[in-house]
Amino acid sequence: MSKVGLVVCGGIAAYKACEVLRGLQKAGHDVHVAMTADATKFVGTVTFEALSKHPVLTDLYNQPGDPIPHITLSEWADVVLVCPATANVMAKMAAGIGDDAATSFLLACDCPVLVAPAMNVRMWKNAATQANLATLRQRNVGIVMPEVGLLACGDIGEGKLASVDEIVSSVLETIYRQEHGLDLAGKTIVINAGPTHEAIDPVRFIANASTGKMGYAIAAEALRRGAQVRLVSGPVSIEAPRGADLRKVTSAAQMLDACLEAFEGADAAICTAAVADYTPKKVADHKLKKTVERVDVVELTETADILATLSAKKGDRVVIGFAAETNDVISYAKAKLARKGCDLVVANDVSRADSTFGSDTSRIAFVDANGVDEQETLPLSQVAELIIDRLSQLLGGKR
Ligand code: CTP
């Protein structure tokens, strides 16, 4: 959990800072708010107090028990976001002016600072604002650029606050970089994800309930940490993370070929896919007609085990597998670790509603030669973070 200082300035977009605050909390971070006097005209301090569950800093002088609240807050914060950032506060930041609680706090901060500007298009285009922006950028202040759109004043142009999602993601990326650095920079990771479809005829297939969410979350985390990601995906209905080298496949046989190709020159593989264990022996070349050719029995044959195949080829590379179980989770996971020859198995109990296919949370346990490390139920993004932490350690230990 990181500590985020949120400075709210006086602009109509101030109400969107409430949603930004919620987004940061949902990602597991603690937020303290500082507001300029003008900001409190748009949104009351009570709103931010109730949302953040902390007092809001608006005044340097009436803080019982803390004579230097701007310094206290600056020492507390790991990262600071100014949202919305007005032309006035950006000018003060550029000039080093601290004439109220919010700007004095900003002046005292030595942690990463991001600004999300929002203002009228002419104020944005003003040469003074652009010069201040350039100064801030030069000092490594992160800028979440405003969008072009219909502004509150009725003008159409640049100056609309970036979307809440984009602002939250920018802060999260800053936090990730702070916590992990780009620990996977220069590494290429193969991740397989989703189910496979095993055809019976051109319109029928055998599938399973995998959604690909876990594998895609791991791919997003690996990308955030600087890795090149080759994402070999079975049929899913979610979007691949930006920057992933997506290789779409349908069947287990295609997934094996794509994984073998992707593993060439890669540093690691994470096999999250729910690969079909069996595939029909014969695939009809036409839609089977029940009135003509009954299909009471579909003869199946076993598919190749992709995880075991990659593990056999890995050399000093790292291979991580999954074990989706409904019972005896740990003992089955241990058996898979031994049978498949990978470095680590991520076991999860898919009989639990909070850990099953399609869930946005998962309860995992790491099983490796050193033992078992059970985790609590966590959002998939945090599970992905833990898995990439493990991968990073394994890669560090081996190189
Ligand atoms: N796996 C694979 N190729 C297969 C089957 C499974 O690569 N043909 C991988 C999965 O991607 C996962 C691990 O093996 O990383 C374990 O998959 P799981 O379905 O839990 O186990 P199975 O090997 O299918 O064994 P069982 O059906 O006995 O649970």
Side-chain angles (χ1 to χ4, degrees), residues 271-273 275-277 303-307 321-324 336 339-340:
C271 295
T272 74
V275 188
D277 290 328
T303 57
D305 191 308
I306 300 172
L307 175 61
F322 270 65
K336 278 177 192 166
R339 195 168 78 234
K340 308 212 182 199

Side-chain angles (χ1 to χ4, degrees), residues 47-184:
T47 306
F48 283 109
E49 257 161 28
L51 290 173
S52 70
K53 302 188 176 61
H54 294 297
V56 170
L57 177 68
T58 53
D59 187 346
L60 284 175
Y61 305 104
N62 293 315
Q63 306 287 331
D66 190 353
I68 45 168
H70 57 306
I71 305 296
T72 309
L73 192 56
S74 70
E75 284 165 354
W76 175 86
D78 297 320
V79 57
V80 171
L81 168 69
V82 186
C83 174
T86 54
N88 188 43
V89 166
M90 283 168 53
K92 287 187 192 177
M93 287 172 77
I97 294 170
D99 61 356
D100 63 2
T103 51
S104 298
F105 162 56
L106 285 169
L107 203 48
C109 286
D110 58 4
C111 62
V113 176
L114 292 100
V115 297
M119 65 196 72
N120 167 275
V121 58
R122 290 188 300 283
M123 292 171 82
W124 173 250
K125 292 230 161 114
N126 186 295
T129 306
Q130 289 301 313
N132 292 331
L133 187 73
T135 303
L136 294 180
R137 195 175 265 134
Q138 210 181 8
R139 290 186 198 145
N140 280 332
V141 171
I143 317 286
V144 191
M145 285 295 278
E147 296 173 356
V148 176
L150 177 62
L151 307 175
C153 49
D155 285 352
I156 292 176
E158 205 175 354
K160 186 173 167 349
L161 187 73
S163 74
V164 169
D165 277 356
E166 196 185 334
I167 296 169
V168 171
S169 312
S170 302
V171 177
L172 296 185
E173 265 175 38
T174 305
I175 292 171
Y176 279 120
R177 236 172 281 135
Q178 217 173 15
E179 283 178 356
H180 308 285
L182 292 179
D183 55 347
L184 293 188

